[in-house]
């Protein structure tokens, strides 16, 4: 069974940093692209970033380029999202997803990130 | 960016009925459209991709159609577990973009 479990969320002040992790199991992690998708409170889904199966290619939405970094450790089957210079508009539930090169075929339960002073 | 517009935003129906949800892209995305279901306390679920291909495990009462800019998700013979939020998403180009969502409620 595919499982994606996010961690690392919480309350952070504007301008500070936070790193999210996603532990993957139930599939060969190193064979799949992975992505982060977020959802602001009461809003719709918004793609954030995608990384290829081997980490050689990354893609970001414009609003996070230069502030967020997606990475992976295939030996640990873990996906990361390093978020710097956080803004109030980054407040959202962040979902780890498998895929992202095309569609997102498995999703985690999500982790909440609140950016507020 | 490709803007995705879903309609209606809200939809009320009864078990056994059939419903359709529409998704319109701001420019052609060929066949590359996916549909997702979101329910409280459950992981989001991919239902359909490439416009009409059912993801493994998606019941056959779900179907997708369309190409270019106009797409439709149809659910026939609604089951109680089908009520929730539905999103479309284009997977033709970056940035990947989602529609605003359609809330399917019990009438």
């Amino acid at each position: 069974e595919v499982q994606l479990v996010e961690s690392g969320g919480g309350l952070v002040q504007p301008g500070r940093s936070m790193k999210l992790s996603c532990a993957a199991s139930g599939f060969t992690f190193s064979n799949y692209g992975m992505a982060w998708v977020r959802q602001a409170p009461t809003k719709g889904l918004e793609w954030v970033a995608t990384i290829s199966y081997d980490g050689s290619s990354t893609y970001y939405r414009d609003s996070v380029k230069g502030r967020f970094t997606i990475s992976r450790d295939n030996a640990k089957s873990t996906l990361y999202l390093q978020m710097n210079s956080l803004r109030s508009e980054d407040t959202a539930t962040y979902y780890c997803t498998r895929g992202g090169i095309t569609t997102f075929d498995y999703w985690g339960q999500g982790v909440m990130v609140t950016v507020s002073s | 960016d490709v803007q995705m517009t879903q309609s209606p935003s809200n939809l009320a129906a009864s078990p056994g009925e059939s419903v359709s949800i529409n998704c319109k892209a701001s420019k052609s995305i060929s066949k590359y459209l996916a549909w997702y279901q979101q329910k409280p306390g459950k992981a989001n679920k991919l239902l359909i991709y490439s416009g009409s291909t059912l993801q493994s495990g998606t019941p056959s009462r779900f179907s997708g159609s369309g190409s270019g800019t106009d797409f439709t998700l149809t659910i026939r013979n609604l089951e109680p577990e089908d009520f929730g939020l539905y999103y479309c998403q284009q997977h033709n180009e970056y940035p990947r973009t989602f529609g605003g969502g359609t809330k399917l409620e019990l009438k």
Side-chain angles (χ1 to χ4, degrees), chain A residues 37 39 43-47 50 59 95 100-105 107-109, chain B residues 34 36 38 41-46 49 55 87 89 91 94-96 98 100:
Chain A
V37 175
Q39 186 170 30
K43 301 293 185 185
L45 299 167
E46 182 177 80
W47 168 77
T50 291
Y59 310 85
Y95 296 100
I101 301 300
T102 55
T103 57
F104 312 103
D105 64 352
W107 297 62
Q109 293 281 357
Chain B
Y36 299 86
Q38 183 175 61
K42 293 198 166 185
N44 295 339
K45 190 183 293 188
L46 170 66
Y49 61 95
Q55 172 71 354
Y87 290 93
Q89 175 241 328
H91 54 102
Y94 284 101
R96 305 300 190 217
F98 291 85

Side-chain angles (χ1 to χ4, degrees), chain B:
Chain B
D1 299 2
V2 181
Q3 305 302 315
M4 307 301 295
T5 304
Q6 277 182 246
S7 62
S9 299
N10 295 281
L11 187 54
S14 301
E17 292 184 344
S18 295
V19 296
S20 291
I21 299 170
N22 300 303
C23 184
K24 188 173 184 69
S26 60
K27 67 178 190 181
S28 177
I29 55 171
S30 186
K31 65 177 181 177
Y32 298 111
L33 186 95
W35 292 97
Y36 299 86
Q37 180 190 64
Q38 183 175 61
K39 298 180 70 172
K42 293 198 166 185
N44 295 339
K45 190 183 293 188
L46 170 66
L47 300 171
I48 287 170
Y49 61 95
S50 296
S52 61
T53 303
L54 263 61
Q55 172 71 354
S56 174
T58 300
S60 58
R61 62 181 180 274
F62 289 85
S63 64
S65 62
S67 65
T69 61
D70 292 287
F71 298 84
T72 301
L73 172 69
T74 300
I75 314 171
R76 293 186 167 79
N77 292 322
L78 278 167
E79 297 281 346
E81 61 265 29
D82 297 337
F83 294 92
L85 269 164
Y86 290 85
Y87 290 93
C88 62
Q89 175 241 328
Q90 62 85 14
H91 54 102
N92 186 57
E93 62 181 67
Y94 284 101
R96 305 300 190 217
T97 45
F98 291 85
T102 295
K103 189 172 185 180
L104 175 58
E105 297 178 297
L106 188 61
K107 190 186 289 182

Side-chain angles (χ1 to χ4, degrees), chain A residues 60-80:
Chain A
Y60 299 91
R61 67 178 304 103
D62 284 349
S63 61
V64 308
K65 257 181 216 174
R67 300 189 300 124
F68 288 14
T69 301
I70 188 171
S71 63
R72 64 191 298 157
D73 185 335
N74 283 348
K76 295 183 178 179
S77 296
T78 303
L79 176 72
Y80 303 100

